[in-house]
C-alpha cells in the first residue's frame, strides 16, 4: 500500500556532490516527516538528517555540507550532499512518517541507495 523509494546514489570523487531523492506514495496517506539514515560497512545505522513541519536537523558530521529539503508539490524529499568525504561512504536510507486520517500512523523504510566516495 505504501512505497518509499530512494534514488541518486553512485560513485563520486572526494569533494564532489550528489543529490539523493526519496519518494513516498500511498493511496489516502499523508506523509509528515522524512529522515535520512546511513549505514557504513560494519557500522550501526545512524540518523543524519530530518525534516518535519518545515524544520530541519542534522548530525554534526554532515552539518554545513548536507541539506534536506521537501518538494512542496510532491511527496518527495531530497538530500543534497556537497563536499563529500570518503567517510560518507554508506548505504543511505529514507524513513517516512505517514498517517491516514486521524487515527493511523506508521513509519516506513526505503530499500536504500549506495553512496561511494573515493579519495
Amino acid at each position: 500500500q505504501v512505497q518509499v523509494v530512494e534514488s541518486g546514489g553512485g560513485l563520486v570523487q572526494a569533494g564532489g556532490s550528489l543529490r539523493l531523492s526519496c519518494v513516498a506514495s500511498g493511496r489516502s496517506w499523508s506523509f509528515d516527516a522524512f529522515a535520512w539514515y546511513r549505514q557504513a560497512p560494519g557500522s550501526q545505522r545512524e540518523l543524519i538528517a530530518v525534516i518535519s513541519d518545515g524544520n530541519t536537523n542534522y548530525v554534526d558530521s554532515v552539518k554545513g555540507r548536507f541539506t534536506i529539503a521537501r518538494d512542496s508539490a510532491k511527496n518527495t524529499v531530497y538530500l543534497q550532499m556537497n563536499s563529500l568525504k570518503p567517510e560518507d561512504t554508506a548505504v543511505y536510507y529514507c524513513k517516512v512518517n505517514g498517517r491516514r486520517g486521524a487515527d493511523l500512523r506508521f513509519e516506513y523504510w526505503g530499500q536504500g541507495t549506495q553512496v561511494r566516495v573515493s579519495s
Side-chain angles (χ1 to χ4, degrees):
Q1 298 281 12
V2 176
Q3 287 187 290
V4 179
V5 180
E6 306 102 326
S7 62
L11 176 64
V12 66
Q13 294 277 345
S17 298
L18 286 172
R19 189 178 76 161
L20 306 184
S21 298
C22 174
V23 181
S25 61
R27 183 175 178 178
S28 300
W29 287 87
S30 297
F31 305 102
D32 302 316
F34 291 73
W36 284 99
Y37 291 72
R38 67 184 181 187
Q39 188 166 20
S43 300
Q44 186 175 340
R45 189 173 299 185
E46 65 170 345
L47 175 65
I48 59 170
V50 176
I51 185 164
S52 179
D53 297 324
N55 297 316
T56 60
N57 290 281
Y58 303 90
V59 69
D60 286 344
S61 60
V62 309
K63 196 173 298 180
R65 299 188 297 120
F66 292 9
T67 302
I68 187 170
R70 182 170 181 171
D71 189 315
S72 60
K74 304 175 182 177
N75 293 315
T76 302
V77 161
Y78 304 98
L79 185 67
Q80 179 67 46
M81 304 186 295
N82 298 325
S83 302
L84 283 162
K85 305 173 181 179
E87 51 263 44
D88 295 319
T89 295
V91 177
Y92 285 70
Y93 297 91
C94 182
K95 188 190 77 173
V96 181
N97 288 1
R99 59 180 169 88
R100 187 175 183 178
D103 54 348
L104 292 179
R105 294 183 179 270
F106 78 106
E107 295 182 347
Y108 207 87
W109 292 84
Q111 82 289 347
T113 185
Q114 176 73 60
V115 172
R116 295 188 183 275
V117 184
S118 62
S119 59

